[in-house]
Amino acid sequence: MLAKWVSFTAMTASQVRRDGGHIAYEVHGEGPLVVLAHGMGENRASYRHLVPLLVAAGHRVASVDVRGHGESSVGWPTYAPAEVGADLLAVVRDIDAGPAVLVGSSSSAAAVVFAATDAPELVSGIVQVGAFVGQPKLNPLVRMAMWSVLHSPRLFGMFHRTLFPVHRPADDAAYRRSMVTNLREPGRMAAVRGVIVPVEPHWTARAPQVRQPVLVLMGAKDPDFPNPGAEARAARRLFRTAEARMIEESGHYPHADRPQRMADELLGFLAVCTRA
């Protein structure tokens, strides 16, 4: 799969200007548009195994570097999910191929909710992957450890590895080295911390306003949650109409450790959104 990763990430990224910087993204394929947004600390190559599967199934896929990450610029005044959601909408407008299904992993799962409610005409559906419904309660020792992780690219890379408790892609070590190298650039770790700063309104307050179809996906072995299934069901209940599905033998990043299974779940949902 490493060769496929190179072929799907070596292209020069497009950029869309935003007030305060630029957002980098790349597009593959033709068909109904799907926009992919990664979690904290990662970059658009997080979806390197999923993109070819969606393209082969007849979709146009835009993978985005969230503000402050990857090739997107740093130094933003805020990394709040509402602004990340606005960035995703800017990408949809720049491609001029909407409406799109927006897929948000981890911290970006909040962003797609804001995007769906701020510009419903541009969003045909949203997918939350590993969404945090509540603020995790950490004891002082864990809080201190997380402070260190959020200030050190090397420690973040070590933490990232723990989020694959069952299976890691064959190219996982190479991807992680590239990710850590990117995080060593000035301003990158500030962005990592920025995307998880608690802000109001929380995405859960906006969820009841979403009118588009919603799919909640969760790795059944996701170590970020004491009970992944309960977290997924809690997210589903916030929306007027939503489905929650578990991906067995998967951790926090099912698009990386179980890409075919995630693609299978997504494609059925995408078909519904296309018909809607």
Side-chain angles (χ1 to χ4, degrees):
M1 281 297 258
L2 183 56
K4 186 173 287 186
W5 168 29
V6 172
S7 68
F8 271 85
T9 59
M11 68 178 290
T12 301
S14 299
Q15 295 183 357
V16 59
R17 297 297 306 178
R18 298 277 291 134
D19 186 16
H22 69 266
I23 301 300
Y25 69 92
E26 63 179 82
V27 182
H28 297 276
E30 296 295 335
L33 181 61
V34 183
V35 177
L36 308 175
H38 59 80
M40 73 168 187
E42 293 208 304
N43 55 68
R44 67 185 189 273
S46 176
Y47 288 101
R48 62 199 181 277
H49 299 294
L50 180 65
V51 170
L53 299 175
L54 299 182
V55 169
H59 288 275
R60 192 174 191 181
V61 184
S63 48
V64 179
D65 283 333
V66 170
R67 57 171 57 194
H69 295 67
E71 293 183 75
S72 291
S73 58
V74 297
W76 299 82
T78 177
Y79 295 90
E83 295 303 321
V84 174
D87 295 338
L88 301 181
L89 294 173
V91 169
V92 175
R93 292 187 181 101
D94 198 52
I95 299 171
D96 192 23
V101 173
L102 307 183
V103 180
S105 167
S106 194
S107 58
S108 287
V112 301
V113 174
F114 286 95
T117 54
D118 286 343
E121 73 281 3
L122 294 179
V123 181
S124 56
I126 61 172
V127 181
Q128 291 190 309
V129 185
F132 291 85
V133 175
Q135 188 69 18
K137 294 179 174 60
L138 306 176
N139 64 49
L141 186 61
V142 173
R143 191 176 298 114
M144 185 180 303
M146 285 307 299
W147 186 94
S148 299
V149 165
L150 295 174
H151 285 78
S152 166
R154 181 181 67 85
L155 292 179
F156 183 86
M158 294 172 64
F159 164 71
H160 185 271
R161 191 176 189 276
T162 69
L163 298 177
F164 294 87
V166 182
H167 172 75
R168 285 191 294 276
D171 62 353
D172 183 60
Y175 168 70
R176 187 170 294 107
R177 283 194 299 270
S178 175
M179 180 187 70
V180 170
T181 296
N182 179 250
L183 292 176
R184 289 193 172 113
E185 297 174 0
R188 297 294 181 199
M189 292 307 294
V192 172
R193 297 187 295 274
V195 295
I196 60 170
V197 169
V199 294
E200 295 295 336
H202 194 264
W203 72 265
T204 54
R206 280 287 192 94
Q209 301 174 30
V210 174
R211 297 295 183 265
Q212 302 91 329
V214 178
L215 176 62
V216 176
L217 293 178
M218 181 77 73
K221 303 289 187 180
D222 191 333
D224 263 349
F225 305 101
N227 187 331
E231 195 81 5
R233 291 189 295 274
R236 181 199 66 205
R237 288 193 293 268
L238 294 168
F239 297 97
R240 297 177 72 215
T241 304
E243 293 185 68
R245 298 178 187 168
M246 306 302 294
I247 298 183
E248 298 301 323
E249 300 302 308
S250 176
H252 194 57
Y253 305 109
H255 47 277
D257 65 14
R258 287 290 182 265
Q260 186 60 64
R261 175 67 195 283
M262 180 156 167
D264 293 342
E265 296 287 1
L266 277 181
L267 290 172
F269 179 74
L270 294 173
V272 171
C273 294
T274 301
R275 292 195 300 267

